Amino acid sequence: LIFRNLLDFALLIYIGYLSSPVVANLLQLDGRRQVMNSSFDPFRFVNTYGAFGSVGEKRFEPIVMISDDGKSWQELEFPCKPGNVTRQPCFCAPYHYRLDWNIWFI
């Protein structure tokens, strides 16, 4: 038990040490732009994840509509796509609504 606690503490210190450039990049302490999707150590234990690094101030939201006759159109509302602010957020674990998620990044 003591050996396991010492090993856990040593790994915690090591990961903390390796994470310092990642945190500096996140906080932009050196005045440069953030580096996204990059690794800061040769073993790739810690890295940055830049999924939202390219999201701008404007967001274009496509609306998918269907029609039976070509005159009256009805909007399709995806279960997990952001939209109606009065709707309860979806819970889809363990599944992932990929179409809804990808539409959000258009």
Side-chain angles (χ1 to χ4, degrees):
L1 184 66
I2 293 173
F3 177 74
R4 174 64 190 260
N5 288 340
L6 287 174
L7 180 65
D8 289 348
F9 184 71
L11 284 173
L12 177 72
I13 297 298
Y14 183 60
I15 296 293
Y17 170 74
L18 290 177
S19 298
S20 62
V22 175
V23 172
N25 176 55
L26 178 68
L27 300 175
Q28 298 178 358
L29 298 176
D30 54 4
R32 297 182 305 173
R33 290 181 53 93
Q34 277 188 344
V35 178
M36 297 294 173
N37 296 326
S38 178
S39 183
F40 288 91
D41 68 285
F43 298 112
R44 298 183 186 269
F45 285 137
V46 294
N47 56 26
T48 59
Y49 179 66
F52 299 103
S54 62
V55 176
E57 293 178 8
K58 294 181 181 178
R59 192 183 98 197
F60 302 99
E61 185 173 339
I63 296 173
V64 180
M65 300 181 88
I66 60 171
S67 173
D68 292 332
D69 57 4
K71 295 179 183 169
S72 60
W73 291 85
Q74 182 179 2
E75 179 180 343
L76 286 179
E77 193 163 323
F78 294 98
C80 289
K81 183 173 127 319
N84 185 357
V85 295
T86 60
R87 184 182 68 197
Q88 181 179 1
C90 79
F91 180 75
C92 57
Y95 305 106
H96 191 286
Y97 286 91
R98 297 209 180 270
L99 180 62
D100 301 16
W101 178 254
N102 287 328
I103 284 177
W104 194 76
F105 285 104
I106 289 181

